[in-house]
Amino acid sequence: MCLASSFLFSQDDPDLFTLDANYFYGTILEHNPDISHLITDHPTGLILSYSKKTYGFKAWESRYNYPDWGFSFIYQDLKNEYLGENYSLYAHYNFYFLNRNLNFRIGQGLAYTTNPYDRETNYNNNAYGSDVMSTTYIMLNYKKENVYKGLGFQAGFSIIHYSNANVKAPNNSTNTFVFNVGANYLVDYKEKPDFQPSTEDKKFTEKIKYNLAFRAGVNESDVVGTGQYPFYNLSFYADKRINRKSALQVGTDVFFAEFLKELIYYYSVAYPERNIDPDTDYKRLGLFVGHELFINKMSLITQLGFYVYYPYDFEGRVYNRIGLKRYFGDQFFGAITLKSHGAKAEAVEFGVGVRL
């Protein structure tokens, strides 16, 4: 009986996955002239991935045209003596378009770099201020799976971003544009089922929800050597689901960034000609609008805000936030987000919250 149940379950959801490997060759983009001395050759590397296939056995899978989810490893030789080599681990999603021939992947994770900035031994590396960094990559491939007995191929391009998000200065970061080519293998390809059509009701409504989030972490100003300090951010916002995928948000943030308090004092002493009052309030208050994209128990949030209380001018009054949330049940969530001013990162925020 147990064997029969197991057999029936395997027919419903065979739990298939693909393994793929890509070699890449590219160039570091000069997004900031301060890193021009670090661009001396063409980086090369390897991307290895595991991707779990979906076929619509869960409701969310058909909403996104049966994406994959999985994990990636990237090795990159940056071809520069000051930058060294990077080793990275990611969680990723694969999304498919054009009759599943076009594959878009986005991955987020952590990287270890072998040669970070050091004031005495590696002061030329102003891109990586710490040996552990956050990293994001996107990949766009023409992809064919199961061409012959589970084997397939892919080719396209990727952008790989490394930054410690001002956890420690310096943090000029790098963005590498690469061309990649590789092969993939669908494990147990003979068990591949048909894609299951959606059975969800197209109409979806949900009342307005109210969210409270607490975010914290450590960061440092761009002035090397001023030190790392904790920050605490509190957010309250309302959201309204407009369909099964999306919700719109509006709310307020309060920011308590100790590094800014230290930076104000530093400039008041080091540059008296700027006439900065050392007692200037370092706290900020912002209003924001945002969007949340729900993907199973995960969601992607994007927010754009404006400081309405802004006693000290730091990077401008407009700020943005992007990140991931993971729901635990219907109400509680954890989040990792990046707060920036345009392309200039201020902090990686680790948060918890409740949605009521």
Side-chain angles (χ1 to χ4, degrees), residues 292-322:
E292 184 168 357
L293 181 68
F294 295 88
I295 308 174
N296 197 14
K297 296 179 181 179
M298 300 289 295
S299 68
L300 172 68
I301 61 170
T302 51
Q303 297 172 348
L304 181 66
F306 181 83
Y307 297 114
V308 294
Y309 179 68
Y310 186 67
Y312 178 74
D313 185 14
F314 177 75
E315 304 291 358
R317 300 186 76 120
V318 177
Y319 65 93
N320 46 282
R321 177 184 283 126
I322 185 170

Side-chain angles (χ1 to χ4, degrees), residues 72-75 86-90 109-112 135 160 162:
S72 315
F73 167 80
I74 294 182
Y75 162 75
N86 291 349
Y87 300 83
S88 313
L89 288 173
Y90 304 82
L110 292 174
Y112 171 78
T135 176
I160 308 170
Y162 300 104

